[in-house]
């Protein structure tokens, strides 16, 4: 069981917070929202991926809903984004890094949860990716934007790589902390390189 | 068990009808839809909140789906909205009040269902709110609008207050009809005051 | 049990492929997406209906998620759409027919799954329709369009007719392959006639 270990629980909380903060900030910039809307979108971003994960894995009620700490952390992230939205631009780099840590953690923990519940490696890789990108996708759909994950920057791909590392390592018999950390680092590094160099996945040939 | 009592079942049906009627009318005004689209959006508005509630509470299959009366009432509300869409403007006040009754009923019944299934007060307050606003949010997302709940008027907040009243009362040992009626009245009054005086939750400071 | 029979499994795979291919093509035309986005939308279109079906029927984890063949077929459909998007216009008729076959298969199999799990005829007809149109609806919402199913051509209605045929036949005691094929043909014919003659369901009276 990876989930309950203090390190990973801390990282899961950190990821939830970073996603909620970043998600709420994106929402503030894109649409005219009241305080309740900002917090709501922060909570969707922070908790949405884990909720979809638990629907697909038949692990209802969702862990992010049962444990009030996830709820409080996500609401807190949204509230901070609302209160400090004009000053948070200075923290853009920090927030991007935190968001990448959240992406990596969610991808790895999502894949492990699938493995622990007896799903195969394809499902583990897929559900890890969905856990990592699901929350931001719900947020984008709610504010009327084509989800970032579908059109720009490497966002889903690092998550897919990280989760796949975990699934493959498990198939090969490695299932300790090392494999998890390795998968998370793969995701983190690809994501940060993608942000740094503005990388994108290939588009449809012939489009301008 | 509050759910099966005739009074609350009647109110739940009334709320479903009001939400479907109001949801379908909003859809007719905002997008060019055929009869099937209007009925579909009415059903989403009337049944969506209860469906999300039952996913979060692991009470699948959703009550609103198993009991054909919910399906028929929601479809009927949508059909009436389609047939009478040009005359219903005269009934705007009635529909707003019915919608507020539905909001109050759904918030209270959603919170009670969570409590009955053993969830804590935070979850009860949250799931009551989601039950009340979930259907309208799905409708808005489907017709390409930023959900009303995120940006204008007091809509989610009265639901949150009503559901919180129920959760707090239960924590303090009150769980009879009185607490439920109290929570519903709190929601109803705040909602109607919000409509009457055009109140909104605070926005991001500095926005025009 | 209809599901596991080789004929229906083949049709279910074919429908998944057709939906993924067609869904990904629609996405390519409507929004600027990278390869990952196209495949993702193909998978949503091919697998989304079955996922909603299994949430409503409490048959989680979704069959489309547990069986890796569905995942692979849907991803393959999306990949082909991405690779050949500029040449697939020549195959428009073939793809439309394949999509109609998918619609019919999903409607009938969705209705049968509901019946097998003990749901009533209203639920069977409804869940068959949702299975058939759910994936395309999710796709449209994600790319910011009002779902086709709500506003144009006969798309949901043939599915509703096909699924209703299956439900009514089952109520009357017919549950063999003949009833299933009959329901599928009803859906297929109405759909193809709708495409051929550009039929639409009635709109709100008085709209231009």
């Amino acid at each position: 069981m990876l989930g309950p270990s203090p390190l990973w629980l801390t990282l899961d909380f950190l990821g939830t917070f970073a996603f909620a903060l970043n998600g709420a900030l994106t929402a503030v910039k894109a649409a005219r929202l009241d305080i309740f809307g900002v917090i709501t979108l922060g909570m969707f971003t922070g908790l949405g991926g884990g909720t979809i994960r638990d629907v697909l894995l038949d692990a209802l009620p969702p862990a992010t809903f049962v444990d009030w700490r996830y709820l409080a952390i996500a609401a807190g992230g949204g509230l901070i984004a609302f209160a400090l939205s004009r000053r948070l631009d200075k923290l853009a780099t920090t927030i991007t890094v935190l968001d990448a840590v959240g992406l990596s953690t969610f991808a790895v923990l999502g894949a492990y949860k699938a493995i622990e519940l007896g799903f195969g490696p394809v499902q583990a890789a897929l559900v890890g990716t969905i856990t990592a990108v699901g929350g931001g996708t719900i947020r984008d759909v709610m504010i009327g934007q084509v989800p970032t994950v579908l059109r720009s920057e490497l966002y889903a791909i690092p998550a897919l790589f990280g989760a796949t590392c975990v699934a493959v390592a498990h198939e090969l018999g490695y299932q300790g902390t090392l494999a998890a950390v390795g998968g998370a680092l793969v995701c983190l590094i690809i994501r940060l390189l993608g942000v740094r160099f503005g990388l994108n996945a290939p588009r449809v040939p012939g489009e301008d």
Side-chain angles (χ1 to χ4, degrees), chain A:
Chain A
M1 284 290 286
L2 255 177
S5 92
L7 172 65
W8 288 101
L9 194 62
T10 306
L11 284 173
D12 208 19
F13 286 157
L14 183 67
T16 302
F17 179 78
F19 271 30
L21 184 67
N22 203 356
L25 280 177
T26 308
V28 166
K29 286 176 192 158
R32 190 167 158 73
L33 304 174
D34 62 26
I35 181 173
F36 194 89
V38 174
I39 295 174
T40 301
L41 281 176
M43 293 181 75
F44 272 113
T45 315
L47 308 173
T51 303
I52 301 175
R53 174 196 66 203
D54 290 349
V55 169
L56 290 176
L57 299 181
D58 192 19
L60 296 175
T64 47
F65 177 70
V66 173
D67 187 337
W68 67 269
R69 292 174 296 181
Y70 287 102
L71 300 171
I73 288 168
L79 188 60
I80 291 175
F82 180 80
L84 303 180
S85 59
R86 289 200 296 178
R87 297 190 213 155
L88 284 175
D89 284 345
K90 295 175 194 162
L91 297 172
T93 307
T94 310
I95 291 171
T96 299
V97 172
L98 278 180
D99 192 75
V101 170
L103 191 79
S104 312
T105 307
F106 281 21
V108 166
L109 292 183
Y112 266 107
K113 185 159 188 175
I115 290 169
E116 279 167 13
L117 292 172
F119 290 84
V122 174
Q123 281 78 14
L126 197 62
V127 93
T129 311
I130 292 171
T131 309
V133 306
T137 302
I138 293 175
R139 176 204 61 209
D140 288 341
V141 169
M142 288 191 73
I143 58 177
Q145 297 196 324
V146 176
T148 321
V149 68
L150 295 180
R151 63 188 165 76
S152 64
E153 282 182 57
L154 292 177
Y155 198 76
I157 290 176
L160 180 60
F161 271 65
T164 302
C165 285
V166 166
V168 169
H170 184 267
E171 287 296 298
L172 299 176
Y174 300 97
Q175 37 189 319
T177 301
L178 206 64
V181 171
L185 281 180
V186 165
C187 174
L188 187 66
I189 291 169
I190 301 179
R191 170 66 186 149
L192 291 178
L193 288 176
V195 171
R196 177 70 187 77
F197 297 104
L199 301 178
N200 283 304
R203 291 177 191 286
V204 173
E207 263 186 41
D208 54 321

